[in-house]
Amino acid sequence: MSPRELIYFFVIGVAVLVAITILWFIFRKKRRIAIAFTSILVLGFIGYVLYFPTMKTNKHSEAYEIVSDYLDKNYPNRVFTVVPEHYEAGYTVGDFNVNDIETPTIGVILRVDKDKVKEIGTWSNLEYPIQQDLWREIQSFYESPYSLNKDLAEITKIDEWIDGELTAFALTVDDKPAIALFNYSKAGYGLLDFQEGEREGFVIIEKEGYVFIYVDERYQGRTVSVNLVDNKEFTFNVDQQKGQLIIEEQQ
């Protein structure tokens, strides 16, 4: 039994005790009636405590059916995992962790309240990533917060570059070129910068003394130009490096 439920029953128990005290005061000259009412209250309280786990199980099972019907009706072409199907300790009655079977590491929390279903939060079970897999974190950064009504972006790693704690990835995000920069250490990691370009275009990031360039293989030009932070214009010949992450160290 959770601390919240213990407090709940403590409050009910106090209320029962107060009711018994009042009854004995009212029926102080009719002890049999006072004993009868006291027995009813005490037995009712004990019975409610004993039945409470079964009541939670039944209520959760009903909520599970409501969530299942909701998902079938609103997302007929998708298949979901809904946990827990049967009430388990540690979960709140009527709350479910739900995820599309194609995205097992991220999902939403659905709550059934008065036969209505609503999203109340998100969850993920991603473990601490290795440095080469940091790009996968872009999914959670890209469209936040995640929702069942949002289509997850299709993200593919094209190239990578690692220099100590600095990590750069050339990506395609829904068929558009992108660059993501992370810092990474045993103490933690974080997204430094993320930029997207146009389809069949290019993207450039200037950071940490480097210029990072990724040009889509379908880009029609041979060069790309950019105004850097110091207002100097640079032109890069990318004709032989399309589809690769290009790194230029600033002087």
Side-chain angles (χ1 to χ4, degrees), residues 67-84:
V67 164
S68 298
D69 291 342
Y70 169 84
L71 294 172
D72 290 341
K73 179 181 179 181
N74 290 278
Y75 311 99
N77 299 319
R78 298 169 65 181
V79 180
F80 295 94
T81 299
V82 183
V83 176

Side-chain angles (χ1 to χ4, degrees), residues 230-248:
D230 56 8
N231 291 323
K232 293 181 180 180
E233 183 176 347
F234 280 81
T235 299
F236 301 93
N237 189 326
V238 297
D239 193 40
Q240 302 300 317
Q241 296 175 284
K242 295 177 182 179
Q244 303 174 31
L245 181 61
I246 306 168
I247 301 96
E248 295 284 341

Side-chain angles (χ1 to χ4, degrees), residues 3 23 50 55 91 123 146 156:
L23 283 172
L50 295 176
M55 185 180 70
Y91 285 89
W123 61 267
Y146 170 71
T156 304

